[in-house]
Amino acid sequence: MISIKFIVHYSLHFIVPFLFAFVFFRKKWKTVYIIFLLSMLVDLDHLLANPIFQENRCSINFHPLHRFLAMAFYVVGLFFKKTRILCIALLFHMFTDYLDCLL
C-alpha cells in the first residue's frame, strides 16, 4: 500500500521540481528540470551505508552528501551563477529528505 509519506516524498522529488522549473525558468525549464533530476545522484552516498536501505533511517546528517557540512557547500554554491541551479536543486533535495524524517 502506498503511504502518504511515499506520495509526499516522491512528489517533492519529481512534481514540485517540474513546477519550479516551468514557473521560474520558462525558457529553459527542461534543462532546469533535468538538473533537479540529476541532483538525485546525491543519493548514491546511500550505497556507503550498511544496510543500504533502512526504512525509518533519516538521511540528514547520516549519509556523507546529506551532512550539514555538505549542505554548507551547497549554500556557498548559491552565490555563483554557474552552480546556483544545481545548489538550489541539492538544497531542495535535502529539504525533501528532511521532511521525510519528520513524517
Side-chain angles (χ1 to χ4, degrees), residues 5-6 9 55 57 95-103:
K5 181 178 180 176
F6 179 89
H9 186 81
E55 187 173 349
R57 178 171 55 212
F95 171 75
T96 298
D97 285 359
Y98 175 71
L99 284 179
D100 202 39
C101 296
L102 298 177
L103 295 176

Side-chain angles (χ1 to χ4, degrees), residues 7-8 10 14 40:
I7 293 169
V8 168
Y10 287 101
F14 292 100
M40 285 189 264

Side-chain angles (χ1 to χ4, degrees), residues 40-54 57 59 62-66:
M40 285 189 264
L41 290 172
V42 75
D43 281 338
L44 288 173
D45 66 353
H46 292 229
L47 297 174
L48 300 172
N50 186 12
I52 292 173
F53 176 75
Q54 189 174 3
R57 178 171 55 212
S59 296
F62 184 83
H63 303 293
L65 297 175
H66 289 69

